Amino acid sequence: MTVPPEEGSSLSLAQDFPDATYAQWQQLVAGVLRKTGAPVPDESEPESALTTTLADGIAVRPLYTTSDGGGLFREQSPPGFAPFTRGGRAEGNTARGWDVRQRHTRPDAAGTREAVLADLENGVTSLWLTVGAGGLPVPELERALEGVYLDLAPVVLEAGAEFGPAAAELLRLRGQLADGTPPAPGSVLGADPLGHAARTGDHDATPELRREAAALAARCADAHPDLRTHVVDTLPYHEAGGSPARELGYALATGVAYLRDMTGAGLSLETACARLEFRYAATADQFTTIAALRAARRLWARVVQACGAPERAGAQRQHAVTSPVMMTRRAPWTNMLRTTVATLAAGVGGADAVTVLPFDDALGLPDAFARRIARNTSSILLEESRLAGVIDPAGGSWYVEALTDELCRTAWAHFQEIEGAGGMAAALRDGLVAGQLREGWAQRSRALARRSEPVTGVSEFPLLEERPLTREPAPERPGGGLPRVRRDDAYEALRARSDRHLAATGERPKLFVAALGPASAHTARVAFAANLAQAGGIQPVHDPVTVDAGSVAEAFARSGAAVACLCSSDARYAEEAAEVAAALKAAGAAHVLLAGKPDAEHRAGYQSAGVDEFVHAGGDAVAVLASLLDRMGVDA
């Protein structure tokens, strides 16, 4: 029988248990690591073996406690107050949710108009239109927006160097509203001269474009106070392989440059701040995205404070876009999961507007189904999950707060480096930014090649039989500046080689998987080898009825493969690997792999018997697969 507590008393479920200490937890961690045989870099801190290092060199520990926050939590202000870490508005997104902003890049007015109206009728609250080079021609803007109520739907332009004519056209259309009907607040004219220089490498045009953008801001300050004229877009740096802290540092440097331009054109600092919108990438690394958006607000508030503007002017308006870098061309359906996590992170992080890229965005122009799934992603998170019902839900998490602080410190150092080099324009022109991004992407590419950063459906669990999706080609986007990269680039190149081979010969290159012993001995490494092979477009051929070296050789001859991979346990290898490798070589195998990482003594013995290469977790999968395709005669 359960006896309720007496009135006025409290019931603590932990009152009969002693308090656990951090040292006790460390002892438990050390015990588990000793059982697994995992190396421990620092015996005094066994949890260091479980630490993960992010792209910016930030160490993520397995456990955070209240001591990691220090005085951070007590010093924080409520949402809507500087430094705005917890949100730029006191009510956050609780009143209406975030602005569901969908992007349109079709070059024809009729197709754009059809997609725009479908979006607005089904949950989208603002439009993001690519205009000019790589998008809709400026004169076609009126036709594309026919039937759109500009008093209800804000419009955000992305027009590159043509932001002036595009802005003039949008202002003309807004001016056609009935007398006394104000346009919807929240439109953005999209001037981003430094972002354009980053995309195109056209640095000579930058000074004039910056003057034009500042003059546009000055003209709009009084006549159109609801308009934001400038966008600080970090996507050019994100798409070139930038890390979160680098992107934040570049955003600060770009924002400062635009403040200088606008105050030089006669605007007050407070008015100039109100003309800016910041655009960030949201990735499936949800905690980093949450922390980055929170850090961005805190950093910008610090910049505005240092400039001497009123405190309220430091509230940054943020537009989050699900990362194009994470979108894959193979297994595109998995992109739905990535964008869902990224959208959740953007909402939790406090973004004011969120754009969900359709799952087929990497393949060309999205179809109606993909656009529907994209807009419904926000709808489900807002309406069904009630994600906007709590302001800064991650606030107070020791991990998120510590990560926010680390990103602030790292990004501020990058910002100071850019300012010390003469500002963002000089850093772009002199190659400093390009060099930093190139170095960072090379490091990340190594992680992708070794699959320590796995890509589901591409480097892990690929499906060779999946029929590729085809989409109408998207217009060519302006280039010539920073490169555009994707996480699947290296594997996509391998898969493309396999596809061409399939088209030319009628079959894919094959890898014979020689499974030794019972299923309990070989299943794990058979799965590893098959997964590895398919990541490079190589068809694994597995004949499980192989009980001795002779039957393995016969099965290899039937397979039609030129390369074989031995798969079994270490104990079984010691008994049979040398004999089977020799039999495979005698049967015509041009190259024999062994799945595993044997010690030096066994390795030498296997090599003398015919094993040419060892493949194992943590190895360079891209290099191995490229070499195998070469050996199989697959053209590069």
Side-chain angles (χ1 to χ4, degrees), residues 468-515:
L469 292 183
T470 57
R471 292 291 184 263
E472 182 182 348
E476 185 175 354
R477 301 167 67 186
L482 297 176
R484 286 186 172 92
V485 299
R486 293 185 189 273
R487 293 198 306 161
D488 66 353
D489 279 343
Y491 295 96
E492 179 63 23
L494 298 172
R495 293 288 296 272
R497 290 178 65 179
S498 174
D499 288 348
R500 291 193 294 270
H501 186 79
L502 174 64
T505 67
E507 61 181 12
R508 293 195 182 276
K510 297 177 181 179
L511 172 71
F512 177 72
V513 179

Side-chain angles (χ1 to χ4, degrees), residues 301-558:
R302 177 70 184 92
V303 166
V304 173
Q305 179 191 39
C307 292
E311 180 180 283
R312 184 61 207 166
Q316 185 183 91
R317 179 169 175 81
Q318 296 179 330
H319 172 203
V321 184
T322 57
S323 165
V325 176
M326 72 179 180
M327 305 290 270
T328 62
R329 287 156 281 195
R330 308 282 172 164
W333 313 104
T334 59
N335 291 329
M336 295 185 196
L337 306 178
R338 296 184 180 98
T339 54
T340 298
V341 175
T343 306
L344 181 148
V348 171
D352 300 287
V354 179
T355 295
V356 182
L357 295 182
F359 71 86
D360 56 357
D361 182 77
L363 301 172
L365 291 173
D367 66 4
F369 173 73
R371 291 196 308 274
R372 179 189 177 200
I373 294 297
R375 61 180 179 254
N376 282 350
T377 301
S378 278
S379 296
I380 289 173
L381 292 172
L382 286 169
E383 304 298 335
E384 297 188 25
S385 299
R386 305 289 296 169
L387 193 63
V390 176
I391 302 173
D392 189 26
S397 159
W398 296 317
Y399 169 43
V400 172
E401 297 290 3
L403 183 56
T404 299
D405 194 53
E406 289 280 359
L407 283 170
C408 281
R409 296 177 191 278
T410 308
W412 190 261
H414 293 324
F415 166 56
Q416 290 179 310
E417 183 180 11
I418 296 297
E419 287 294 287
M424 196 63 188
L428 283 168
R429 183 185 62 247
D430 298 340
L432 174 62
V433 170
Q436 292 173 340
L437 294 174
R438 185 166 51 249
E439 180 182 352
W441 181 246
Q443 180 179 354
R444 190 175 178 189
S445 294
R446 289 191 289 272
L448 289 163
R450 295 181 180 277
R451 300 193 291 180
S452 57
E453 182 181 340
V455 183
T456 303
V458 176
S459 67
E460 298 287 350
F461 313 113
L463 184 61
L464 288 185
E465 294 77 17
E466 184 174 43
R467 296 182 60 182
L469 292 183
T470 57
R471 292 291 184 263
E472 182 182 348
E476 185 175 354
R477 301 167 67 186
L482 297 176
R484 286 186 172 92
V485 299
R486 293 185 189 273
R487 293 198 306 161
D488 66 353
D489 279 343
Y491 295 96
E492 179 63 23
L494 298 172
R495 293 288 296 272
R497 290 178 65 179
S498 174
D499 288 348
R500 291 193 294 270
H501 186 79
L502 174 64
T505 67
E507 61 181 12
R508 293 195 182 276
K510 297 177 181 179
L511 172 71
F512 177 72
V513 179
L516 309 181
S520 59
H522 66 239
T523 296
R525 280 174 170 158
V526 165
F528 166 80
N531 191 53
L532 173 66
Q534 291 179 94
I538 299 171
Q539 181 68 54
V541 180
H542 175 209
D543 187 345
V545 188
T546 52
V547 295
D548 53 37
S551 61
V552 168
E554 292 173 4
F556 172 76
R558 293 194 301 269

Side-chain angles (χ1 to χ4, degrees), residues 98-177:
W98 57 80
D99 173 12
V100 180
R101 180 179 297 174
Q102 285 309 101
R103 188 182 189 187
H104 295 270
T105 60
R106 295 192 68 91
D108 62 296
T112 298
R113 178 178 178 273
E114 179 182 357
V116 158
L117 293 178
D119 275 351
L120 291 174
E121 291 168 359
N122 291 281
V124 166
T125 54
S126 70
L127 304 172
W128 177 15
L129 303 179
T130 302
V131 182
L136 187 72
V138 173
E140 295 292 295
L141 188 59
E142 181 175 13
R143 285 185 57 205
L145 293 177
E146 183 181 345
V148 174
Y149 297 109
L150 295 180
D151 55 332
L152 300 176
V155 176
V156 177
L157 299 178
E158 180 183 5
E162 298 180 64
F163 66 81
E169 180 66 3
L170 180 60
L171 291 174
R172 184 183 71 81
L173 296 176
R174 284 163 51 106
Q176 294 178 355
L177 291 172

